[in-house]
Amino acid sequence: MTAEMLGVIGIIVLLILFLLKVPVGISLIIVGFIGTSMIRGWDVAFSQLGRTPFDTASSYSLSVIPLFILMGMVLSNTGIGSDLYKAVDNWVGHLRGGLAMATIGTSSIFSAISGSLNATTATVTKIALPEMEKYNYKSSLSTACVAAGGTLGILIPPSVILILYGILTREPIGALLIAGIIPGILQVILFMITIAILVSRKPSLAPVRTEKVEFSEKFKSIVQIWPFLLLFLITIGGIYAGIFTPTEAAGVGAISSIFVAFISKKLNWKKFLDSFNESVRLTAYIFLILIGATLFGQFITISRIPQELTSFVGGLELNTYIILIFILFALFLLGCFVEGLSLIVLTLPIVYPIITELGFNGVWFGIIMVMAINIGSLTPPIGISVYVIKGAAPHIPIQTIFKGVMPMIVAMVVCVAVLILLPDLVTVLPDMMRK
């Protein structure tokens, strides 16, 4: 059996293991180890299995992950998100659909310190959904806004998935994080435009709130969200200005989040320990995936599938953008069945060489790929964001949530199209950062 055929079989087996709910990291290790042994022999496979876990886990660049996770967990567990939602709500909540727009705004700001789709979705669900239900918002609209807003958690920096993309492709992590800012803002604007269109066509979706908020109260609420602005300026601003490397920025951000939560009198010993406990658990999960991804990537490389596919695609007489659309469509279809983190480690060893061979910018594609994965996170049958909301609001039928997110998916597709037509929207800030 040829190496290429073994590679194809390995990918199929990996997908089957994912669908059977075998842990992602374990699935990757099993397929990578057995596949390598069948091509290069057991000695090579055992050598890689012994060396790769230490080499991966001891990598200095990976220390950025637990530090950014800790920063998000501290602020998530201390309830500062409630102050954030109230602040945004004070400014736009009186408009028709204002609470829905406030939910999107809250998600975008919270994403700037969370870096996680699940953390952003779960936190905003607890804060925003009861408030929208209180004012008789239709469940289809309220849950759609929470689900769509949650996807901003892996687009707006600091994004754990963008960091993983950088580690797996060796693209600069700082540039990837900065590149997510303008697409994130554009996606927020498109979400809000979508909400405005929906409530104007069907006012019953979002009744107008009668009570008004005085300007003094609005201004006071802005002051309450200073922790988010401070941490964003320290971390992402420090990376952009060249003051910090991503790892240094993550370390400063983690310490600053603890300090901010402490002086805000919202951090007790239990919340402090819970934040560390959750950070360690999530970090261990991600590191196991990275170890598995490294072994699987080595197997895919020696199977020569990436080289053969790159050569094949390079020989096609098709426009490069047609090939790009095919790749994104394939990512979208896979995203309907495979969770985003799994999809990244499964497809990057194959897709990334093709993208670079076609002449596309690796940082730009990182943002486009994350957005394609975001779309998959809202679509059935997996729809991870939808199931996070369902878990927090079991009284809302799952079909109502899936139906509600469809207009948001359209807005996300439009955003991807804009970024393909205007790639400078992604690359302009990273390019300025390097000057």
Side-chain angles (χ1 to χ4, degrees):
M1 192 178 296
T2 65
E4 291 85 351
M5 182 60 66
L6 287 171
V8 171
I9 293 173
I11 293 171
I12 294 171
V13 170
L14 187 63
L15 282 171
I16 293 172
L17 291 175
F18 285 168
L19 294 175
L20 292 175
K21 306 297 183 183
V22 177
V24 176
I26 301 299
S27 301
L28 290 163
I29 291 172
I30 291 172
V31 174
F33 172 72
I34 295 177
T36 300
S37 68
M38 295 184 72
I39 296 176
R40 291 285 176 87
W42 292 103
D43 290 344
V44 174
F46 274 112
S47 175
Q48 290 182 344
L49 184 62
R51 185 179 65 249
T52 298
F54 177 80
D55 290 345
T56 302
S58 62
S59 172
Y60 172 76
S61 62
L62 287 184
S63 58
V64 68
I65 294 176
L67 292 170
F68 269 135
I69 290 174
L70 177 61
M71 183 177 77
M73 289 299 179
V74 167
L75 294 182
S76 177
N77 288 335
T78 51
I80 296 178
S82 299
D83 294 337
L84 172 62
Y85 183 73
K86 183 178 179 182
V88 180
D89 176 38
N90 283 345
W91 284 90
V92 300
H94 63 283
L95 303 172
R96 186 177 296 279
L99 285 175
M101 295 179 185
T103 299
I104 297 296
T106 301
S107 298
S108 65
I109 301 174
F110 188 83
S111 298
I113 54 92
S114 168
S116 165
L117 183 150
N118 290 346
T120 302
T121 303
T123 301
V124 177
T125 298
K126 296 174 187 175
I127 297 170
L129 210 55
E131 193 71 11
M132 286 188 278
E133 289 179 340
K134 174 183 172 183
Y135 287 96
N136 297 316
Y137 273 56
K138 295 293 185 183
S139 296
S140 59
L141 177 64
S142 59
T143 54
C145 293
V146 175
T151 64
L152 298 169
I154 60 171
L155 178 60
I156 295 176
S159 162
V160 172
I161 280 194
L162 281 177
I163 293 171
L164 290 177
Y165 177 93
I167 291 169
L168 293 172
T169 62
R170 302 189 185 279
E171 293 286 350
I173 293 174
L176 282 163
L177 294 177
I178 297 299
I181 295 176
I182 292 179
I185 294 172
L186 176 61
Q187 188 66 85
V188 169
I189 293 171
L190 289 172
F191 281 153
M192 291 191 173
I193 291 173
T194 302
I195 292 169
I197 293 172
L198 289 173
V199 298
S200 65
R201 294 181 61 184
K202 194 174 182 181
S204 62
L205 287 173
V208 176
R209 195 172 66 184
T210 55
E211 59 265 35
K212 301 291 184 181
V213 179
E214 298 295 329
F215 183 78
S216 59
E217 184 67 21
K218 292 181 178 179
F219 182 77
K220 184 180 177 181
S221 65
I222 290 181
V223 177
Q224 292 177 338
I225 67 170
W226 67 270
F228 292 92
L229 301 177
L230 176 64
L231 288 171
F232 186 80
L233 287 174
I234 289 175
T235 55
I236 306 305
I239 293 173
Y240 182 80
I243 300 172
F244 304 130
T245 65
T247 302
E248 292 166 347
V252 172
I255 293 296
S256 299
S257 67
I258 295 172
F259 178 72
V260 164
F262 178 76
I263 64 173
S264 300
K265 298 180 180 179
K266 295 187 176 183
L267 183 66
N268 57 35
W269 186 244
K270 183 180 183 303
K271 292 177 179 178
F272 183 71
L273 291 180
D274 285 345
S275 298
F276 270 92
N277 183 38
E278 292 171 19
S279 299
V280 169
R281 288 175 180 273
L282 184 54
T283 299
Y285 169 73
I286 291 174
F287 270 48
L288 182 62
I289 290 176
L290 278 171
I291 291 168
T294 303
L295 288 168
F296 178 73
Q298 292 167 348
F299 160 56
I300 289 297
T301 299
I302 63 175
S303 74
R304 294 196 52 80
I305 286 181
Q307 298 91 319
E308 294 296 331
L309 277 176
T310 301
S311 176
F312 172 75
V313 171
L316 293 176
E317 296 183 1
L318 290 174
N319 185 282
T320 54
Y321 285 94
I322 298 296
I323 298 173
L324 174 67
I325 290 171
F326 278 131
I327 291 174
L328 293 179
F329 185 68
L331 289 173
F332 164 72
L333 289 179
L334 285 170
C336 295
F337 300 93
V338 182
E339 182 266 334
L341 202 59
S342 309
L343 187 57
I344 282 276
V345 298
L346 171 65
T347 59
L348 266 184
I350 300 169
V351 170
Y352 181 75
I354 296 175
I355 288 296
T356 53
E357 178 68 21
L358 293 174
F360 291 111
N361 183 289
V363 171
W364 169 84
F365 180 72
I367 302 299
I368 299 296
M369 185 175 190
V370 164
M371 297 188 74
I373 290 172
N374 274 341
I375 295 173
S377 73
L378 297 182
T379 51
I382 299 298
I384 185 66
S385 291
V386 173
Y387 285 102
V388 170
I389 295 170
K390 177 64 177 175
H395 61 284
I396 300 176
I398 194 74
Q399 59 266 29
T400 299
I401 308 176
F402 275 124
K403 181 180 178 181
V405 298
M406 291 305 165
M408 299 301 181
I409 291 175
V410 172
M412 296 168 78
V413 172
V414 170
C415 189
V416 171
V418 170
L419 296 179
I420 290 174
L421 293 173
L422 301 171
D424 287 348
L425 290 176
V426 177
T427 58
V428 61
L429 289 182
D431 288 345
M432 291 173 63
M433 183 177 69
R434 296 189 185 103
K435 292 180 180 179

